[in-house]
Amino acid sequence: MKSSFKILLLSVLMLTVTVSCKKSTKTEVKEVDTYVVDNYTKKEVDIEMRDGITLHTTIYSPKDTSKEYPIIMQRTPYSSQPYGEGNFRTKIGPNEHLMKEGNIIVYQDVRGRWLSEGHYVNMRAYIPNKTSDDQVDESSDTYDTIEWLVNNVENNNGNVGIWGISYPGHYATYATVDAHPALKAASPQACIGDFFFDDFHHNGAYLLSYFRATSLFGTPRPNGDAPIDTAWYTLPSLPTEDQYQFFLDAGPLKNLDYFFEYDTADTPTMRPEGVTDDYFWNELKEHPNYDEMWQSRGLIQHLKNVKSSVATMIVGGWFDAEDLYGPLETYKNIERYNEGNYNTMVFGPWDHGGWARDRERNVVGNYYFGDSISLFFQKEIETKFFNHFLKGEGDKNSGLPEAYVFDTGKKEWKKYDTWPPENATKQTMFLSDDQQLTTEQKEITEIQFISDVKKPVPYSEDVKTVFTPRKYMTDDQRFAARRSDVLVFETDVMEEDMTLAGDILAQLKVATTGTAADWIVKVIDVHPADAETNDEMQDHLKMSNYHLMVRSEVLRGRFRNSFSDPEPFTPNEKTDVNIKLQDVFHTIKKGHKLQVQVQSTWFPLIDLNPQTYVDNIFKADESDFKTQTHTVFTDSNIEFTVLK
C-alpha cells in the first residue's frame, strides 16, 4: 500500500514540475470508432466482367452469420479505400443505422479507376440493345457485379440495394437501366444526369468555378492505364486567395491550358498546340456545344424503361450547387415514362451531400434551417426505404410519401402524393419599371445597363479561393443588388404567405449592342428588418434585411433556341430568352418581399462571355472581349409555380 502511494505521489510531483516549467497544451485524443472492425469481416475481390476486365470490389459482411442479410452497394470513381483486408473504414453504408442493423456493404472501383482494370470514360455512354460481350457500359458492369455477389457472398438474402452521392449517385441511376432481377432498391442521391447541365456546365455556360476539379476526371492513369492504389492526379493549385482577380487577370480560357500539361512519363512533352495531357479539359474545349458526345453521355434520356422491379428514391438538396438538375430530372423522367413504378423524391435544405452528414445544426452557408434535419432523414426516411425493400414486404406500402420535401421558408417537412403538389398553379409576375415586380403588365419600357468585361458581377462577396463553391447558394445578395449592372425587381411587403412549389420560368425580352451575352436570373427572399441573426452568420452580416438567394440560373444566350446549334444575337434587336430555373419549395412569408435580380455576368462562377460572338469561347482571343450595353424590356416576366 505504501509503495502504491509513493508511486502516486511521485507521479503527482512530476506532473506539477512539468506544468510549472512548461506551458501546458491540451492534446485532444480522438477515440477511434472500432464498430466496423468489431462487427464486420472484410474481403477484397476482383470480379470479372463479361468482357474479361476485372473490377476491384470490397465486401464488408457481418460477423454474425446466424441470419441472412441484404447487399447494399456503392460504385465509385473516387476509390473504395482503404485497401488491404486488414484496413477498415470507420463507417460503412448509407448511414449509421443501416450499418448497425446489419447489412452486407459493398464498395467497387468503377472501370478504369483505382484498382479496377479497363479504361475510364467520363460519363460513359449507355449502349442499348447490346449484341456482344464486348459492348459494355456501367449498366452491364453493375449487372455482372450483382450476379457475382448474389452467387458468391455467403449469408446474403438475394436482395440488393444501391446508393451513391454525386458521381456514385450517377452509377446508382445507371443500375436501374437494364437492372439485374436481384436489384430491389436504388437511391441515386445528388446524381449527375448530364455534364452539360450539371457540375461543369449550366445551360451551356462553362462553370469556371469547377476548373480545379477537371484533373480529377481527365488525368490519364500511368503505366499503360494499369490499376493503381494511390492518387495519380493532382488538383490545380491557384497561387492566390483571390480567385476573382486571378481569373480576371488570366484572361481568355485558352490561357489556362498550362494547368493541364502534366509531362508525365506516359505522355510526350511535344503536343499539338492547344492540346493538353488532360483528356477531359480537351473534351471541354473541343465540344462547347451540346453535340453528339455530350448527348450520348447523358443518362436522363435513357430512363424510359426503368425496371418496375426496382424501387427508386431520388435524394437531393434544394441548395446543391453541383447537382440539382440531375436528381430533379431523374425523378421527373422516371415518373413520366414508367407508370406504376415505385418512384419517390426527397429534397431537403442541404448543400451537396449534406443529408449524409451527422451535424446537429443544419446550415448552408450563412443560413440556418433547423436541428437534426439530416439525422431525421437518415433514420426515418433512408433507413425505412432500404429496410422495406430489402428486408420487408417490398410492396408499394413503404410508409413513405411520393414526395418528402422541406419548405425552406417555413423550415418544415411536407408530404405530397405528387410533385409538384396537385394544388400548385402558375402565377406570372412582370419585371416592371421602378424596380417593381408586379402581377400585371404595365407600360412597356426599356431598362438598360452596361456589362463591363473588366468588372464582371461577382457571384460572392467573399474573397477566397475554393475547390468548388457551395456556400453561395444561400448567400446574401445585397452586395449585388447595389450594383448598377444588376437589375432589381421586387414586390411590396407580403401581406400573406406565398409558397413557391415547383419550377420557375423566366421569359425575358432583351437586346444587346453586341452579338453575344449571358443572362442570369436570381429569385430572392428579402427578410424583414427584425429578422433574428443566427450564430453561423459571417461577422459582417446580419439577418436584418438579408437577401436570401432561393434559386438562380444562367443561360448562355447563344443557346436560347438550341443547345446544339448556337447563334449570335442581332445587335439592338428585341429577342426572347427563356430560362428554366430548377424547382424550389420555399415560402416567402408574410412580412418578407419577393425579389428578382437580372444580370449578365456571374464571375468566376461562370466563365466570362466575350459579348461578341465567336464559334468557341474556349478559343476566344483577348480582343474578342467587349463591354456592351444590354436592355431588358418590361414585358419580361417570371412564371412561378405557386401552392394555393
Side-chain angles (χ1 to χ4, degrees), residues 319 349 362-364 367-371 373 406 408-409 411 474 548:
F319 299 101
N362 282 113
V363 179
V364 178
Y367 205 86
Y368 167 70
F369 290 100
D371 290 340
I373 299 170
F406 192 92
T408 54
K411 301 182 181 180
T474 61
L548 171 69

Side-chain angles (χ1 to χ4, degrees), residues 389-462:
F389 290 101
L390 300 181
K391 296 179 180 178
E393 294 297 323
D395 58 14
K396 293 184 179 180
N397 300 316
S398 66
L400 298 171
E402 171 79 12
Y404 221 140
V405 287
F406 192 92
D407 184 328
T408 54
K410 288 186 175 179
K411 301 182 181 180
E412 61 186 22
W413 285 104
K414 291 289 185 180
K415 301 177 183 179
Y416 294 106
D417 294 332
T418 62
W419 183 263
E422 288 183 355
N423 56 337
T425 60
K426 299 295 184 181
Q427 180 173 332
T428 301
M429 305 189 79
F430 292 88
L431 309 185
S432 299
D433 263 341
D434 299 323
Q435 298 190 16
Q436 292 183 320
L437 186 62
T438 61
T439 55
E440 295 182 359
Q441 181 178 318
K442 298 187 176 183
E443 180 184 0
I444 301 175
T445 59
E446 303 176 6
I447 306 174
Q448 293 187 335
F449 66 95
I450 296 172
S451 180
D452 189 342
V453 293
K454 297 295 185 183
K455 296 181 180 179
V457 180
Y459 75 92
S460 171
E461 63 178 340
D462 294 344

Side-chain angles (χ1 to χ4, degrees), residues 72-192:
I72 305 179
M73 66 182 294
Q74 179 184 107
R75 305 186 67 244
T76 178
Y78 301 132
S79 175
S80 58
Q81 290 177 337
Y83 297 117
E85 293 191 354
N87 299 319
F88 285 68
R89 294 188 178 208
T90 55
K91 291 185 178 180
I92 57 174
N95 63 55
E96 184 179 44
H97 307 287
L98 290 166
M99 174 180 75
K100 291 187 175 180
E101 287 178 6
N103 288 283
I104 299 167
I105 307 297
V106 174
Y107 295 92
Q108 183 179 73
D109 295 338
V110 297
R111 180 180 292 255
R113 298 290 284 189
W114 296 88
L115 285 182
S116 287
E117 295 179 342
H119 178 67
Y120 175 69
V121 177
N122 203 13
M123 300 288 286
R124 189 184 301 274
Y126 167 66
I127 304 173
N129 305 313
K130 300 174 184 65
T131 57
S132 74
D133 287 345
D134 291 330
Q135 292 183 313
V136 294
D137 54 25
E138 305 302 340
S139 174
S140 66
D141 282 353
T142 308
Y143 190 105
D144 294 351
T145 298
I146 293 175
E147 177 71 11
W148 189 94
L149 291 172
V150 295
N151 286 300
N152 291 278
V153 176
E154 295 180 354
N155 300 309
N156 83 81
N157 70 359
N159 294 334
V160 179
I162 190 168
W163 97 103
I165 299 172
S166 195
Y167 219 140
H170 169 75
Y171 294 119
T173 307
Y174 226 129
T176 68
V177 182
D178 296 337
H180 191 284
L183 184 65
K184 303 299 182 184
S187 184
Q189 304 179 1
C191 44
I192 304 167

Side-chain angles (χ1 to χ4, degrees), residues 15 18-29:
L15 180 62
T18 303
V19 171
S20 62
C21 296
K22 188 177 179 180
K23 188 176 180 180
S24 63
T25 56
K26 282 189 177 179
T27 304
E28 187 177 339
V29 180

